[in-house]
Amino acid sequence: MKKEVFSKYALMVSRAFQIDATDIFKKTKQRQVAEARHMLYYLSFHRPMSKVEIQRYMMDYGYSIGHSSIIYGIEQADEKVRHDRDYFKLVKDISEL
């Protein structure tokens, strides 16, 4: 069940960032893709999904990621949620799945 939610989040985040859904799971540091990944981690973590679950779901899509990178992404997204109203609204809209 949680994997389905994760997949829906990935699709909705990719649409919000206007990127292809598969780009989230590619090794790239492009700002837009990295920010989309961070939002995906944030949404999933606050669903709640554990960092291990997030890591496993990312790996299921072919993207290997460590716990520290997931934590960093969550922190980055959390910072934006607290300081950017538009980002906050987007997170709120997606999380009401």
Side-chain angles (χ1 to χ4, degrees), residues 5 9 11 17 23 27 52 75 77 84-85:
V5 172
Y9 280 162
L11 185 60
F17 280 84
D23 289 347
K27 284 283 185 189
V52 173
E75 289 171 352
D84 184 334
R85 289 182 187 193

Side-chain angles (χ1 to χ4, degrees), residues 25-27 55-65:
F25 306 106
K26 290 181 181 173
K27 284 283 185 189
Q55 185 180 30
R56 185 178 329 119
Y57 299 148
M58 292 296 289
M59 188 58 153
D60 288 348
Y61 284 99
Y63 189 84
S64 179
I65 183 116

Side-chain angles (χ1 to χ4, degrees), residues 40-83:
L40 177 59
Y41 302 155
Y42 179 88
L43 288 164
S44 300
F45 183 72
H46 288 290
R47 179 65 184 204
M49 291 179 206
S50 70
K51 292 173 207 83
V52 173
E53 287 174 308
I54 296 168
Q55 185 180 30
R56 185 178 329 119
Y57 299 148
M58 292 296 289
M59 188 58 153
D60 288 348
Y61 284 99
Y63 189 84
S64 179
I65 183 116
H67 290 261
S68 60
S69 296
I70 292 171
I71 292 167
Y72 175 80
I74 292 167
E75 289 171 352
Q76 292 299 304
D78 186 55
E79 190 70 23
K80 286 189 173 137
V81 165
R82 288 189 277 127
H83 294 95

